[in-house]
Amino acid sequence: MTIDKYGAFRAMHQPGTPLLLANAWDVASARLAEQAGSAAVATTSAGVAWSLGAADGDVLDRDRAVDLVARVAGAVAVPVTADIEGGFATDAAGVAETVRLVVAAGAAGVNLEDSDRVGPAPLLPVDEAARRIAAARTAAGAGLFINARVDTFLRGGDVADALARARAYVAAGADGVFVPGTADPAVIAELVAGVGAPLNILAGPGSPTVAELAALGVARVSLGSSVAEAAYAVMRRATEELLAKGTYDTLTGALSYGELNKLLA
């Protein structure tokens, strides 16, 4: 990973002209995103974990997660940002080690979340989450784009808590802030105005359009695990149709064997 690629990825985060990311979960999906014109490739932690036989939520073995990042980064020419869940670690030192490994694997950016998947609380205390961001920043140096994920809305919190967390993470060294769980334009506008860094929104059916999010000042729009979920839905529908009807209509519109094989040749 060169400094130029770090800089190029950083420059893609422009409020009002958002970076658009349909998150990938393996080399083939990453290559397809690149082929379709994506300026960068982002991984989805859930999709990666599922594809490797694990649940999402810091269950996947760190070495396997880093190996996937390396394979994706080696397969595409555009910058890669890796979703590293909570850092595959239980403390700031462990997060720092994960970040060093992900940087060595070729990532230009990471997502680091503040959900507490292994403890009694739904969210990490803000000071502990900020320590993990600071440790990631120190481990990565200046180049890596650290996108701090604020899970307040996924855990029943409010705008005030989301803003307090976002500001603490930016002060600790985050370059951007990712706030999934809201599609309310008024809330998104408040976040844009208050976080003090490029804002990333998770989008999907029912969300404002990209044009509407751009007008609100959003700098990055991600589809998260939803593309992988849609792909797996095709598998289930195709199986159910085959078993129940003996027909194959679900497969209409599939990419051809030749196209996919050439993509990975």
Side-chain angles (χ1 to χ4, degrees):
M1 180 62 58
T2 66
I3 295 299
D4 286 343
K5 190 167 283 190
Y6 286 130
F9 184 63
R10 188 174 297 275
M12 293 173 189
H13 295 78
Q14 298 297 326
T17 312
L19 172 62
L20 306 179
L21 297 169
N23 300 66
W25 60 95
D26 61 7
V27 169
S29 56
R31 290 292 303 273
L32 287 168
E34 180 185 39
Q35 184 186 61
S38 290
V41 166
T43 64
T44 159
S45 66
V48 168
W50 298 333
S51 73
L52 295 175
D56 188 30
D58 283 314
V59 175
L60 182 64
D61 176 77
R62 177 170 66 184
D63 290 344
R64 297 181 74 200
V66 172
D67 176 69
L68 186 280
V69 175
R71 287 190 283 117
V72 168
V76 299
V78 298
V80 172
T81 182
D83 186 339
I84 60 170
E85 305 189 27
F88 302 109
T90 58
D91 57 21
V95 170
E97 177 59 20
T98 296
V99 168
R100 282 190 286 269
L101 292 170
V102 170
V103 169
V110 295
N111 274 20
L112 184 61
E113 67 189 52
D114 62 359
S115 282
D116 186 5
R117 305 297 187 100
V118 296
L123 292 172
L124 290 168
V126 66
D127 57 344
E128 171 59 20
R131 278 195 293 272
R132 296 184 185 201
I133 295 290
R137 178 81 285 153
T138 299
L144 189 78
F145 190 98
I146 298 175
N147 202 32
R149 190 175 115 177
V150 178
D151 279 359
T152 294
F153 294 121
L154 300 180
R155 308 297 177 185
D158 57 19
V159 177
D161 181 65
L163 285 172
R165 285 177 173 274
R167 291 166 182 155
Y169 303 161
V170 172
D175 300 290
V177 175
F178 179 29
V179 186
T182 182
D184 185 334
V187 171
I188 293 170
E190 190 171 355
L191 292 170
V192 167
V195 299
L199 180 69
N200 182 185
I201 290 295
L202 181 67
S207 298
T209 65
V210 167
E212 290 166 339
L213 291 171
L216 292 170
V218 171
R220 179 164 157 177
V221 178
S222 304
L223 299 186
S225 62
S226 60
V227 183
E229 291 164 4
Y232 290 128
V234 170
M235 176 61 185
R236 182 162 69 182
R237 287 198 303 271
T239 304
E240 290 173 344
E241 180 188 357
L242 176 67
L243 297 177
K245 300 180 180 179
T247 56
Y248 327 103
D249 293 339
T250 300
L251 303 178
T252 302
L255 293 174
S256 72
Y257 170 90
E259 183 178 0
L260 281 169
N261 211 44
K262 182 178 179 181
L263 185 72
L264 296 173

